[in-house]
Amino acid sequence: MKLWNSFILWRHLRSRSIQCKGRAKIRIQKNIKLAGKGKLILGYGDGGIARFSWTGCNINFMHNAKITLHGESRIGFGSTLTVGKEGEFCIGDQTYVSAGATIRVAQRICIGDRCAISWNVTIMDSDFHEYRLENGTIPEKTKEVIIGNNVWIGNNVLILKGVNIGDNAIVAAGSVVTKDVPAHSAVAGNPAKIIKNGVTPINPEF
């Protein structure tokens, strides 16, 4: 199964920089762009929760999508990575995302180096639907998400459009992040608020 997935990815991308373990649903459209140097492994490990090797993952790269790799990174079993038309997903070195994650890119989502992202985390940079306010204005539907270096994100966190999470920040489990998170701060809650300043995560070996 791993060999078959790798063949499909190589056939479409002409690169071995993105690999997939276990079963997978792969949809790749035309003119996908790969940038940077590195390797992204999808479907690794068990992510700290019960997963089986056939759980697989979903990969959706739409027309003119761009994937930028800045080193070796991993996304766990049962996850979905969707990069929409002309969207960009970039991920840094020694970063891992655990099982059951959903990453949905409409414009741009960028995750830095040495980030530890727990299971069942959802990151998306768009509402994917528009709505109108009483004054007639239509709020911006899509805005990029930037996650800095050495960031910890707990399980079942939801990160919404336009959020910038600074270096060395910690997001507690179950949080809903709707606004920027300053560097060296810990946030928690719905919506997430600062509960501690001056923190620096100490990451285990990648």
Side-chain angles (χ1 to χ4, degrees):
M1 191 61 63
K2 177 183 175 181
L3 291 174
W4 178 245
N5 292 338
S6 297
F7 171 75
I8 293 173
L9 290 167
W10 177 85
R11 178 186 174 194
H12 287 280
L13 305 176
R14 295 303 185 202
S15 171
R16 300 191 185 280
S17 58
I18 299 180
Q19 299 179 9
C20 184
K21 298 180 178 180
R23 294 184 183 273
K25 180 180 179 181
I26 300 173
R27 179 171 57 160
I28 299 178
Q29 296 183 346
K30 295 181 179 180
N31 301 320
I32 307 304
K33 303 175 182 69
L34 292 178
K37 293 183 179 180
K39 179 188 294 185
L40 173 60
I41 300 173
L42 297 119
Y44 88 99
D46 61 11
I49 57 179
R51 297 279 174 177
F52 300 96
S53 60
W54 55 84
T55 302
C57 55
N58 296 312
I59 303 168
N60 303 289
F61 296 158
M62 303 296 102
H63 290 294
N64 300 311
K66 182 178 180 180
I67 296 90
T68 303
L69 306 177
H70 296 294
E72 184 173 336
S73 53
R74 305 171 186 169
I75 298 177
F77 282 129
S79 296
T80 297
L81 173 60
T82 299
V83 185
K85 182 180 179 181
E86 299 182 353
E88 179 183 8
F89 174 67
C90 56
I91 189 166
D93 188 35
Q94 300 183 62
T95 284
Y96 69 85
V97 182
S98 292
T102 299
I103 301 173
R104 189 173 180 188
V105 184
Q107 178 181 335
R108 185 170 185 259
I109 292 177
C110 189
I111 303 173
D113 299 333
R114 302 180 306 282
C115 292
I117 300 176
S118 192
W119 62 86
N120 295 338
V121 168
T122 297
I123 306 171
M124 55 187 186
D125 64 352
S126 180
D127 295 331
F128 297 100
H129 299 280
E130 292 181 328
Y131 61 94
R132 192 186 308 275
L133 299 176
E134 289 182 356
N135 62 9
T137 61
I138 299 175
E140 189 174 12
K141 179 176 67 174
T142 301
K143 192 173 182 181
E144 69 178 14
V145 171
I146 305 295
I147 299 173
N149 299 319
N150 200 46
V151 171
W152 277 2
I153 298 175
N155 62 289
N156 297 298
V157 166
L158 173 60
I159 298 173
L160 298 177
K161 69 174 187 182
V163 166
N164 190 323
I165 299 178
D167 295 345
N168 300 296
I170 297 175
V171 180
S175 298
V176 177
V177 186
T178 60
K179 295 182 179 179
D180 290 354
V181 177
H184 292 283
S185 66
V187 300
N190 179 9
K193 297 180 179 179
I194 296 174
I195 57 171
K196 190 171 292 186
N197 290 300
V199 302
T200 299
I202 301 173
N203 275 324
E205 291 292 329
F206 178 68

